[in-house]
Each structure stands twice: as C-alpha cells, then as structure tokens.
Amino acid sequence: QVQLVESGGGLVQAGGSLRLSCAASGRTFSSFRMGWFRQPPGKEREFVASIRWSDSSTYYADSVKGRFTISRDNAKIMVYLQMNSLKPEDTAVYYCAVRPVVSTNWGYWGQGTQVTVSS
C-alpha cells in the first residue's frame, strides 16, 4: 500500500526558503507522477508542481514558476520541493500526492505539512 509522508514545513519570513520532503513507499513509482499541492487557509486545494518519476519531466503552477523547484531522489524514493523567495500568499498546508502517468486521478495523498510565511 502506498504511503506518503511529508516533512520540512515550518515558519519562515517572506523572502526566505524552505525545502519540503516527501518519503514514498509501498510500490515502485517508475510509471507514476509525483505532485505537490497546497491548501491555503479558507481556500480550495491547488496544484503546485509535479514530476514524472521516469524522466523527471516537471510542471509548475504559474504562481510558483521560477521560485519553486520539484525534484526526486530515485535511490531514497523521495520527492522534494525547494521553495525560494517565499511570499505570505504561499502560506498553506502542503501535500504530496501520486498518480499513475496514464491517469488524472491523484489517488494517494500524504497527511500534509504546514508552511507559514510571515510578512
């Protein structure tokens, strides 16, 4: 059974950086895409970034392009989200998720990690 465990959230000042980690287990992910989503206070969950495990192709939301970088470590089965130049509007609970490349259904989710950016 797939398990995703996020870590690395916290409180940071605007302009600062954080790196989120997602430890994945329970199967091989060679035909999967890994993603980061976030849910700001009082808002809907939104897509942040994704990476295809097999070739590391990436997609980003326009709001984070140029500031966030998603990457993966094949040996450790980890996915990272490096967040630079953080803004107060980046404050949210960040979730790691996974789906098969051939599906649009993000079927597996982590428990989330809180990121708070102070102004």
Side-chain angles (χ1 to χ4, degrees), residues 61-102:
D62 287 343
S63 59
V64 306
K65 278 182 184 176
R67 299 189 298 123
F68 291 11
T69 302
I70 188 171
S71 62
R72 62 116 173 97
D73 184 319
N74 194 40
K76 297 180 180 179
I77 318 181
M78 298 283 290
V79 179
Y80 305 101
L81 186 68
Q82 178 66 43
M83 306 185 295
N84 299 328
S85 302
L86 282 161
K87 305 174 182 179
E89 51 263 45
D90 294 317
T91 294
V93 178
Y94 283 72
Y95 297 90
C96 178
V98 63
R99 65 167 174 83
V101 169
V102 297

Side-chain angles (χ1 to χ4, degrees), residues 98-111:
V98 63
R99 65 167 174 83
V101 169
V102 297
S103 171
T104 58
N105 178 32
W106 294 91
Y108 301 98
W109 294 84
Q111 83 288 351

Side-chain angles (χ1 to χ4, degrees), residues 3-87:
Q3 285 194 316
L4 303 171
V5 180
E6 303 98 333
S7 60
L11 174 63
V12 64
Q13 287 189 328
S17 298
L18 278 176
R19 189 178 81 155
L20 304 183
S21 300
C22 174
S25 63
R27 64 159 301 132
T28 57
F29 294 98
S30 56
S31 60
F32 280 69
R33 179 169 285 275
M34 317 293 285
W36 286 98
F37 291 75
R38 66 186 182 186
Q39 187 165 17
K43 296 185 178 181
E44 297 288 319
R45 189 178 297 183
E46 61 186 24
F47 170 79
V48 175
S50 71
I51 184 167
R52 185 159 65 181
W53 196 267
S54 60
D55 63 4
S56 295
S57 64
T58 58
Y59 289 105
Y60 293 93
D62 287 343
S63 59
V64 306
K65 278 182 184 176
R67 299 189 298 123
F68 291 11
T69 302
I70 188 171
S71 62
R72 62 116 173 97
D73 184 319
N74 194 40
K76 297 180 180 179
I77 318 181
M78 298 283 290
V79 179
Y80 305 101
L81 186 68
Q82 178 66 43
M83 306 185 295
N84 299 328
S85 302
L86 282 161
K87 305 174 182 179

